[in-house]
Amino acid sequence: MKEGAQLTQAEPGHRYEVFHTDCPARDMVDHVTSRWGIWVLISLRSNDLRFYELRDSIQGISEKMLAQTLRTLVQDGLVWREVEPTTPPQVTYGLTEFGQDVGKPLTDLFDLITQRLPPAERPPRSG
């Protein structure tokens, strides 16, 4: 069974006041650009992944932070979550259409940065 928020588009001509502290769009931007939110969206850009696969793909994230980040992104409607009723349950995550739309410029930014960085220096070999 898949879970995720169902979001509707704002009425034509309606704009959020993103510089106001009570703007709901501002919260979502904070979630997307959080320390781990951006990496979850980039990790899911081409494949649906199980929890442990996501954890292994994002070095340095704890299980607790991954679970919190995923919970928030599911509530925001950017990520879907599917639970297979097995023992233990298999939980898979993927990007919703909205998550793909939001993740595209993040992936472009990531690609632009990594293409412009100088070649990584390799640590000297010992021995």
Side-chain angles (χ1 to χ4, degrees), residues 13-101:
H14 179 269
R15 301 282 302 178
Y16 284 100
E17 297 294 328
V18 295
F19 292 104
H20 290 253
T21 57
D22 58 349
C23 178
R26 190 172 178 162
D27 287 338
M28 188 174 293
V29 169
D30 287 344
H31 299 159
V32 168
T33 60
S34 70
R35 179 172 182 189
W36 300 113
I38 192 168
W39 297 116
V40 168
L41 294 175
I42 289 172
S43 293
L44 291 173
R45 70 183 180 253
S46 56
N47 293 314
D48 302 339
L49 297 173
R50 300 209 14 225
F51 184 88
Y52 76 90
E53 293 171 322
L54 260 173
R55 183 198 61 215
D56 291 346
S57 73
I58 306 171
Q59 293 185 6
I61 193 169
S62 68
E63 287 191 13
K64 178 182 176 183
M65 284 309 303
L66 179 57
Q68 288 176 356
T69 301
L70 286 166
R71 189 176 311 113
T72 300
L73 295 174
V74 167
Q75 289 172 348
D76 287 343
L78 298 166
V79 171
W80 55 260
R81 176 181 188 264
E82 184 174 30
V83 180
E84 294 180 39
T86 58
T87 305
Q90 293 183 10
V91 183
T92 305
Y93 295 90
L95 295 179
T96 62
E97 184 179 337
F98 183 39
Q100 291 170 3
D101 291 345

Side-chain angles (χ1 to χ4, degrees), residues 38-39 105-118:
I38 192 168
W39 297 116
L106 297 175
T107 298
D108 292 345
L109 176 65
F110 176 78
D111 291 342
L112 179 65
I113 290 170
T114 56
Q115 290 168 7
R116 293 289 189 113
L117 285 175

